[in-house]
Amino acid sequence: MTQRKGEKTTISIQEHMAIDVCPGPIQPIKQISDYFPRYPRGLPPTAPPALSRAGSLRGTTTSQKSEDPAAEPKRDEDDLDQAFGATAFVANKKEEEPDVEGYDSDDSTTLGTLDFSLLYDQENNALHCTINKAKGLKPMDHNGLSDPYVKLHLLPGASKANKLRTKTLRNTLNPVWSETLTYYGITDEDMVRKTLRISVCDEDKFRHNEFIGETRIPLKKLKPNQTKNFSNCLEKQLPIDKTDDKSLEERGRIMISLKYSSQKCGLVVGIIRCAHLAAMDANGFSDPYVKTYLKPDENKKSKHKTAVKKKTLNPEFNEEFFYEIKYADLSKKTLEVTVWDYDIGKSNDFIGGVSLGINANGERLKHWFDCLKNKDKKIERWHTLTNELPGSGYND
């Protein structure tokens, strides 16, 4: 292409791109921010001593002409790098440290928050859990909403035996339940060693329900008969510690009353009620009844049985059984209580059991001693059912 005299040289965009991608060593392109670093907060923007020294060096080099004309811009770049290198390093190191006060975790905020309150009624051995509301839940459905509900579990323990849940609210990320769920049979020992797990889930009609988030509260943080309010950020699902000893698996609670009658010369055993029994039937319920034995039972006559309560996990029996026995012989006896699920046409399912006596421990031993020390006084206690009972067969 010929160019007339006095006419400016024009370069097409194709020629410009060809120049940029021509083969040869690629030099890193410095950005303007490299020469003007951001000073961290609290650090005054004072120029380091290397800057003045670089300026003097630049002045001397400009007076002396170099034989290599390409060395001049390179020397300027080196001087600037030397001047601002230390300051830029401090700035980058400062930016890497998170601000603890202003730190906001995405994991805890994107799942939402849950407002609830807990009350331990020590006199009635009940734990009242009021689920108030949730805010900013994570969307789980295609419409950008969720169908949330809340599940409660007491850990450690079998989830089927102590699972409670709220109703489901449709198409909302800010549900308001205002619903109270109650655990019965909670003892002071439970308040020391148990943890309440509160999970928020999304209900789906045509597939498995989806987990949104959870929070856990050690019950030892609660004071008896005092309501404590919580507003917790939901967390990702945490692993549950499962004990290798399956005999410690909890299968529900039972309230038993004991009284030694001096007038009748015998032990009166009351089966009052059960709570949070394990579901043994396909419909999610059980048909429970209770059997009692006073062992050793040489004559095989100590067996008593309650009526069957249909389709419930929280049956009320209110039945009493009498064992004629001398007061002095009670210290040699063990009361075994078992709960069963009644089935028609096949063998009944064992739900759980508990034994009270001189060889027991914890609340079971204390209940037996209190009965021996307080004649003619009815003493009621809640006890935990386990899936094993020494000395008792599982065949009804």
Side-chain angles (χ1 to χ4, degrees):
M1 180 180 67
T2 58
Q3 181 179 357
R4 298 179 182 179
K5 187 176 181 179
E7 184 179 0
K8 294 183 179 181
T9 304
T10 58
I11 301 176
S12 65
I13 185 66
Q14 290 83 2
E15 293 174 328
H16 180 74
M17 295 298 295
I19 294 173
D20 288 344
V21 298
C22 64
I26 300 176
Q27 299 294 333
I29 302 175
K30 290 187 176 294
Q31 300 179 357
I32 190 66
S33 58
D34 294 336
Y35 302 109
F36 299 95
R38 294 176 58 187
Y39 289 96
R41 292 182 179 178
L43 187 64
T46 55
L51 180 62
S52 58
R53 185 166 56 253
S56 60
L57 288 174
R58 190 182 300 109
T60 55
T61 53
T62 52
S63 59
Q64 299 176 358
K65 293 185 180 179
S66 174
E67 296 179 359
D68 186 5
E72 191 66 27
K74 184 176 181 181
R75 188 181 299 112
D76 289 345
E77 293 174 358
D78 293 340
D79 294 341
L80 288 172
D81 290 342
Q82 183 179 3
F84 290 100
T87 308
F89 174 77
V90 175
N92 293 333
K93 188 175 181 181
K94 183 71 176 180
E95 290 175 358
E96 291 176 359
E97 299 175 0
D99 184 6
V100 179
E101 294 182 358
Y103 180 73
D104 197 7
S105 174
D106 290 340
D107 291 340
S108 61
T109 55
T110 56
L111 299 179
T113 59
L114 182 67
D115 294 350
F116 60 96
S117 64
L118 302 177
L119 170 63
Y120 172 48
D121 186 352
Q122 190 175 32
E123 181 179 357
N124 297 315
N125 295 105
L127 176 64
H128 302 287
C129 312
T130 301
I131 308 299
N132 296 320
K133 61 182 179 179
K135 293 183 291 185
L137 293 181
K138 180 181 178 181
M140 305 299 291
D141 298 336
H142 294 296
N143 59 1
L145 300 173
S146 296
D147 302 322
Y149 66 94
V150 177
K151 287 193 306 183
L152 303 182
H153 292 98
L154 279 178
L155 304 175
S159 60
K160 291 183 179 180
N162 55 40
K163 179 176 69 175
L164 300 177
R165 62 163 288 175
T166 67
K167 58 187 176 183
T168 301
L169 300 181
R170 302 291 177 185
N171 297 324
T172 178
L173 300 180
N174 301 285
V176 179
W177 288 283
S178 299
E179 191 172 341
T180 299
L181 307 175
T182 302
Y183 281 106
Y184 295 99
I186 302 298
T187 63
D188 292 340
E189 183 180 354
D190 293 327
M191 297 300 295
V192 174
R193 67 184 186 93
K194 293 269 186 188
T195 297
L196 179 64
R197 179 191 182 199
I198 306 177
S199 307
V200 181
C201 302
D202 171 60
E203 183 178 290
D204 286 321
K205 292 183 178 180
F206 304 106
R207 55 181 180 174
H208 293 293
N209 296 341
E210 295 180 292
F211 176 86
I212 297 178
E214 71 170 41
T215 183
R216 299 188 185 185
I217 304 296
L219 297 185
K220 60 185 178 181
K221 291 185 176 182
L222 305 180
K223 295 181 179 180
N225 306 315
Q226 293 185 16
T227 302
K228 187 168 184 179
N229 298 313
F230 297 87
S231 182
N232 291 7
C233 290
L234 298 176
E235 302 177 84
K236 294 181 179 179
Q237 192 166 13
L238 303 174
I240 299 177
D241 295 331
K242 295 184 178 179
T243 176
D244 295 332
D245 187 4
K246 296 298 182 181
S247 64
L248 298 180
E249 181 183 346
E250 295 183 8
R251 310 300 293 273
R253 304 297 174 95
I254 185 170
M255 176 180 275
I256 303 172
S257 67
L258 299 178
K259 184 183 75 171
Y260 184 81
S261 175
S262 301
Q263 183 178 1
K264 297 181 179 181
C265 295
L267 177 66
V268 180
V269 178
I271 304 299
I272 302 173
R273 61 180 297 188
C274 295
H276 318 301
L277 294 179
M280 307 302 291
D281 297 336
N283 59 7
F285 293 96
S286 295
D287 301 322
Y289 67 95
V290 181
K291 295 192 304 179
T292 64
Y293 295 88
L294 192 61
K295 295 188 175 181
D297 182 18
E298 299 176 357
N299 299 324
K300 307 293 182 180
K301 294 181 179 181
S302 69
K303 175 181 175 180
H304 290 285
K305 184 188 298 186
T306 68
V308 177
K309 302 296 180 179
K310 294 289 186 179
K311 198 176 179 181
T312 178
L313 301 179
N314 300 281
E316 292 190 14
F317 299 100
N318 294 317
E319 297 187 34
E320 288 187 344
F321 306 118
F322 179 76
Y323 292 98
E324 185 176 351
I325 185 174
K326 295 180 181 179
Y327 177 77
D329 294 337
L330 275 180
S331 60
K332 304 174 185 178
K333 296 290 185 176
T334 297
L335 178 67
E336 294 186 355
V337 181
T338 55
V339 183
W340 299 79
D341 170 53
Y342 178 76
D343 288 322
I344 300 176
K346 59 180 181 179
S347 60
N348 299 328
D349 298 321
F350 175 76
I351 297 179
V354 63
S355 62
L356 308 177
I358 195 68
N359 296 321
N361 52 33
E363 289 291 329
R364 297 168 292 171
L365 178 62
K366 186 176 184 299
H367 193 185
W368 192 256
F369 273 144
D370 289 343
C371 173
L372 298 179
K373 291 188 297 182
N374 301 278
K375 292 182 180 181
D376 301 313
K377 181 181 179 181
K378 181 187 289 188
I379 300 176
E380 298 178 352
R381 292 283 192 280
W382 281 96
H383 297 284
T384 300
L385 298 170
T386 59
N387 67 336
E388 283 189 1
L389 183 59
S392 178
Y394 285 173
N395 295 324
D396 188 19

